[in-house]
Amino acid sequence: VLDGWDKFKSKYPLNKVMQTKSGHIFEIDDTPKFERIHIYHKNGTYIEIGGAVGAMNRMDKVVGDQFTMIDGNHYKSVHGDINVVGRHCQQLSQTTVIEGQSITLKAGAVVLATNKVQVAGSLAVGTGATCKIVDIRGKVYDVKNGIVVSATDG
């Protein structure tokens, strides 16, 4: 976030800094319109609240891996967009439920590496799709090029 000193607006004596012998930094800054809290590890990992990231914002930079361990439930409420950039592999160990008024998957390919996909309600198959669909009653639908070509009892 801080590409250079041009965004650094701290003023003495409003900025209190403690730096350890090895290079860790703890900073509390009361400079008007630049109030911030900054915790910096000597390896480059840091947490910045306020300051250059904005008065009500927080930036976490992790140089290595990040772990969060929660013994109870985890709730998130985001009233804006969620933008995730990078290579993603999410491994879930239990049943996962995704709910919404509408869920859209946009990709060159969507691969479901499983032997069973259950759909409660309706399922729309796009043009060009070729697959076999089994409904919850066991009825088997053969789809070729987006058209149901046969339906048989399982």
Side-chain angles (χ1 to χ4, degrees), residues 62-154:
V62 179
V63 173
D65 295 332
Q66 181 174 3
F67 299 88
T68 303
M69 298 187 325
I70 301 168
D71 287 335
N73 295 319
H74 184 174
Y75 300 92
K76 280 190 179 183
S77 176
V78 178
H79 296 276
D81 292 337
I82 298 174
N83 298 300
V84 181
V85 179
R87 183 184 66 83
H88 308 291
C89 179
Q90 188 166 0
Q91 297 174 353
L92 306 168
S93 62
Q94 299 293 321
T95 300
T96 301
V97 177
I98 300 173
E99 292 183 15
Q101 291 179 358
S102 175
I103 298 171
T104 303
L105 300 175
K106 290 184 179 181
V110 176
V111 178
L112 300 172
T114 179
N115 59 1
K116 188 181 218 179
V117 175
Q118 291 181 324
V119 177
S122 63
L123 172 67
V125 179
T127 304
T130 299
C131 60
K132 191 173 290 235
I133 301 171
V134 181
D135 71 16
I136 58 173
R137 293 174 305 278
K139 193 164 195 164
V140 179
Y141 300 89
D142 281 315
V143 179
K144 290 195 170 100
N145 295 319
I147 300 169
V148 176
V149 294
S150 68
T152 58
D153 291 326

Side-chain angles (χ1 to χ4, degrees), residues 28-80:
I28 298 173
D29 191 347
D30 284 331
T31 301
K33 299 187 178 174
F34 196 73
E35 294 88 352
R36 69 191 178 103
I37 297 171
H38 185 84
I39 301 170
Y40 176 86
H41 189 280
K42 67 179 184 175
N43 71 4
T45 294
Y46 65 82
I47 297 170
E48 171 109 4
I49 301 169
V53 297
M56 296 184 290
N57 298 326
R58 172 178 161 164
M59 163 71 100
D60 292 11
K61 177 184 179 188
V62 179
V63 173
D65 295 332
Q66 181 174 3
F67 299 88
T68 303
M69 298 187 325
I70 301 168
D71 287 335
N73 295 319
H74 184 174
Y75 300 92
K76 280 190 179 183
S77 176
V78 178
H79 296 276

